[in-house]
Amino acid sequence: MPTSTSGVTPGVTTGTALTNIQSIVIAEALYNNEVNRVMPLLVYHTDIPKGAYQKNVPRFARMTAYQATEGADFTATSALRINSVNFIADEHVASAIVTSRLARQMSEDDARVVGRLLQDALSRIRETDLLALFTGFSEDVPGAGSTLGIEHLRGSLAWVQTENNADYGAAMGPFSVVLHPEQISDIVEDLSVTAQTATATYGAGTAQASGDLATAVLREHLRGMEKVYGIKVYSHGLITRDASDDASGAVLGEQALGIAEAGEVENWVEKDNSGRATEYGIVGNWREGELVDSWGVEILSDAIKTI
């Protein structure tokens, strides 16, 4: 078989070329990793260090102080208690095979296209992993088959900021609300009706607050992120509906949920010369979990499509 002057068989990708392709794939992957994520920014994040099998996230329970009597021996004590959530990372993989023929037909560099698509897939599964934790909160409103109203958000925010847990107290901010788009649609409808009803019943001046809130939400709600009661509300299209068209969003404090990630995103590129194709792959390692149950509320409600 003829060889090139460099001693490399013609038509076979060299190691250096594969390294260049890997660099392109990982660059695209890291870029999309930064711009496509939402949920990891709303929860507690920690890293599993290299060489470690798992990461333990300990949380000390609060201690109790007592009033003492001057001159009297103080005997009341509190035990030092630690509750720990342990994270063991799972592998999450996406791969694609690009034939040589397809690569020739693509107008863009195939490595960049594949890098974007693979990271999109990895970002989606990380998002859905975290979204799935919403159903684990013990507190939920308004319930399956029920229509979500603004009072449910108000009550949920009050709940997570209340001392509902003797060990950990009220949730720590910042707080976030994550809802299915149809749940937000119900909030918009509820605010519009509330403002109209208040105006008709009490007069325009008395209903000014309701009207202002409804107007702001109606004006801004298509942006995908709003503020209600000063709290950011995210519209998340990856929240799924069940067979009854119910969806589960959440109101949560920043440390209600957590994710532990082991290392950076890794990738591989493997040339299949006989198959005339190239396999691209990407791997992410993480584990998600609930940290404090009372610091979140599941927003379970009807999310049937409006149209």
Side-chain angles (χ1 to χ4, degrees), residues 19 24 30 32 52 74 100 106 118-119 147 152 164 170 213 224 247 253 260 265 305:
T19 302
I24 294 172
L30 288 174
N32 283 277
F74 183 78
S100 298
M106 295 174 69
L118 291 179
Q119 183 55 54
T147 301
H152 300 120
N164 295 309
L213 180 57
V265 171
K305 64 179 182 179

Side-chain angles (χ1 to χ4, degrees), residues 64-292:
T64 304
Y66 301 90
Q67 181 176 342
T69 302
E70 183 180 0
D73 186 32
F74 183 78
T75 59
T77 60
S78 296
L80 184 62
R81 292 177 294 116
I82 302 176
N83 292 322
S84 180
V85 177
N86 304 325
F87 293 93
I88 302 174
D90 295 320
E91 275 193 332
H92 303 77
V93 183
S95 66
I97 294 177
V98 179
T99 65
S100 298
R101 181 179 181 183
L102 176 60
R104 288 194 300 270
Q105 295 171 347
M106 295 174 69
S107 59
E108 284 189 72
D109 177 26
D110 57 303
R112 294 189 183 279
V113 173
V114 172
R116 289 195 297 268
L117 293 175
L118 291 179
Q119 183 55 54
D120 283 345
L122 209 61
S123 292
R124 279 197 305 276
I125 191 173
R126 183 173 51 187
E127 289 286 298
T128 55
D129 281 352
L130 287 167
L131 292 170
L133 296 176
F134 292 170
T135 61
F137 290 129
S138 298
E139 191 72 17
D140 65 81
V141 293
S146 302
T147 301
L148 183 63
I150 189 64
E151 72 275 12
H152 300 120
L153 291 189
R154 183 176 69 246
S156 297
L157 287 167
W159 167 266
V160 298
Q161 295 178 69
T162 300
E163 294 268 337
N164 295 309
N165 189 305
D167 285 340
Y168 306 124
M172 295 184 290
F175 303 97
S176 302
V177 181
V178 185
L179 298 174
H180 187 282
E182 291 290 356
Q183 291 179 308
I184 290 184
S185 177
D186 286 340
I187 292 292
V188 173
E189 173 68 14
D190 183 44
L191 286 173
S192 301
V193 173
T194 299
Q196 293 171 17
T197 302
T199 300
T201 305
Y202 304 108
T206 308
Q208 188 63 48
S210 296
D212 288 347
L213 180 57
T215 299
V217 173
L218 285 169
R219 182 177 60 245
E220 306 289 353
H221 89 280
L222 292 179
R223 295 185 310 167
M225 185 188 75
E226 347 298 338
K227 273 194 174 183
V228 176
Y229 304 119
I231 308 298
K232 290 182 179 179
V233 180
Y234 295 88
S235 176
H236 210 308
L238 288 180
I239 295 177
T240 59
R241 290 177 284 203
D242 62 19
S244 301
D245 286 320
D246 293 315
S248 292
V251 173
L252 64 157
E254 185 181 33
Q255 295 190 24
L257 306 175
I259 184 171
E261 298 192 70
E264 299 291 339
V265 171
E266 300 175 1
N267 75 299
W268 76 86
V269 179
E270 185 175 326
K271 187 75 172 180
D272 180 2
N273 291 306
S274 62
R276 300 171 304 286
T278 303
E279 180 184 10
Y280 299 91
I282 189 170
V283 183
N285 296 273
W286 68 79
R287 187 62 178 264
E288 70 290 338
E290 180 182 283
L291 298 181
V292 183

